[in-house]
Each structure stands twice: as C-alpha cells, then as structure tokens.
Amino acid sequence: MLASRGPALCTALRRAAPGGLASFHASAERCRAARVAVVLSGCGVYDGTEIHEASAVLVHLSRGGAEVHMYAPDVPQMHVIDHSKGQPAEAESRNVLVESARIARGKIASLAKLTTADHDAVIFPGGFGAAKNLSTFAVDGKDCKVNREVERVLKDFHKAGKPIGLCCISPVLAAKVLSGAEVTVGHEEEEGGKWPYAGTAGAIKELGAKHCVKDVTISFPAHVDTKNKVVTTPAFMCETALHHIFDGIGAMVKNVLKLTGK
C-alpha cells in the first residue's frame, strides 16, 4: 500500500518520525520508487514504437510512482514509412535512437547502457518497430533474429528475476529469447477483422513459447507468467476503442510494478 501512494507518503513518514529518518528506515525502504526501464524502437506505429502505447505505459508508470528511464538501440531503422500513405519513403533513412528521442522528449540513452543493476523492471511498448528494429520478426517470422542488446536485456532481467512487461507485438521478443515463456498477443483467430494479426499467436507457439488467449475488454486484459515474471497485454493487436488499449496497458504496468515488490 505504501508504494502505491508514491513519494509524497514517504516524505510524510520521514517528517513524522520521532527519532528522525532512522525510526522509519523500514518504511522508507518499502516506499522507494520502482526504477523501470522503457525500451523504444523508433517513433511511429509502422516503423517504430506505437506512440499511444508508449504514452499509456508512461502515464501508468507515472501514476504508479515509478522512476522511469528510456532507452533505444543506436541502429538504423529497417526502413522509414510515410504514415500518411502507409508506404515506405524511398531513399530515406533514420536512426532508432534519434527517432525514439521524440517520444522521450530527449531524455533517452543507448540501449547498450541499460543494466539490471540500475533497474527493477523493463517494459517494451509495441509498434512494428519491435518486429522490424528490435528484431527481424516482420520479415523472418519464427526464424527471426533479435537485436543483440535487446536479447541481452531480456536474458539479464530474466536471470535476475526482475519483471519484464511487453505489449502488442513485442511479446514475440520474449517468445524468441526466453524459452517456455507464457505470453499473449490476444486471440488466435481473426474473427472478422477484430484481430487482424492473430497469426502471430501461431508463430509464438512455433518459437517454443506458450500463447495464452486474452481479450482487451475483460476485467483483467493482461497475462502474468509468474514463473518467468513476464507480463503481456494485446493492446493494438485488437481493433477496438483506444480506452480499452489504455486500460489493458494499465493492467500490464500495474502487475509489472507489483512483481518488483516495491
């Protein structure tokens, strides 16, 4: 409960302590904010991070009192999409870190600098950048390769027993890197276009992970793999109202923070 009330409560506890800070040392420790890394993959749904998803992640982390640091790989994008036309912009190239800085308002570092020692959890928003810039899933499917630094981060957090959150298409990263992980990208059938990327569930199974069917409009639209501390939610894998996406990401973030124990 203390952690959910954020830094303001911690300050109040310190001021109220009859013997100073030491008297409430244990309470202060419990109040320490969770330090969460957010990994971006560019800026824009079709060639980078899905901006609404990134914003939702950041809002929910802020509401949960987390201390947030953003990272992105310092590599060229697979390609650049003209989002007004939905087509590649020929002869144009962009850098994933530079583009991600747009979402981070400039406060971002190279993914190579992300360590488990400095963070309690890591979250990957979705967007095609996860399948194009953080991995080659968009081209190679189950035979995809994952960016070297992304793979390192996933393995390091998993080994350290620290939670990993992913939404939309990004659960494929965990499916590829963390053998036997349980994830969700929503439903396994298109259902008349409501789940246009349902085929991804089959690829996840081929990668050796377990796919768990989840909706975005139910009371708990996220899946928690307690053994591996991996939390996933479908987000824009479903054609639905924006507030459902926002709430689903909220469920994912809430459970990531819960698994940090802070």
Side-chain angles (χ1 to χ4, degrees), residues 36-42 44-45 48-59 61 68-72 100 103 108 122-132 134 150 164-173 231-237 245 249 252-253:
V36 182
V38 176
V39 180
L40 304 178
S41 60
V45 57
T49 301
E50 212 298 320
I51 298 171
H52 295 297
E53 291 181 7
S55 295
V57 167
L58 296 174
V59 168
L61 285 173
V68 179
H69 302 276
M70 286 178 267
Y71 299 86
S100 297
I103 297 174
I108 195 166
V122 63
I123 293 179
F124 292 78
F128 280 87
K132 293 179 177 181
L134 303 188
V150 172
I164 300 166
L166 311 102
C167 62
C168 196
I169 191 68
S170 66
V172 300
L173 302 173
V231 188
T232 51
T233 190
F236 278 107
M237 296 297 277
I245 308 298
I249 291 173
M252 180 266 286
V253 170

Side-chain angles (χ1 to χ4, degrees), residues 17 35 57 71-72 90-91 102 115 125 185 198 205 224 240 244 248 254:
R35 300 163 299 175
V57 167
Y71 299 86
E90 301 297 340
R102 294 175 179 271
T115 66
V185 290
K205 294 176 183 178
V224 181
T240 188
H244 292 311
K254 181 178 180 180

Side-chain angles (χ1 to χ4, degrees), residues 10 12-30:
C10 296
L13 284 171
R14 294 188 183 98
R15 290 175 178 171
L21 181 60
S23 298
F24 274 102
H25 178 72
S27 294
E29 286 297 314
R30 287 197 297 272

Side-chain angles (χ1 to χ4, degrees), residues 23 51 54 97 117 129 139 143 147 195 216 240 242-243 255:
S23 298
I51 298 171
L97 177 61
V139 175
D143 298 317
N147 172 277
W195 296 91
V216 294
T240 188
L242 181 59
H243 68 279
N255 280 275

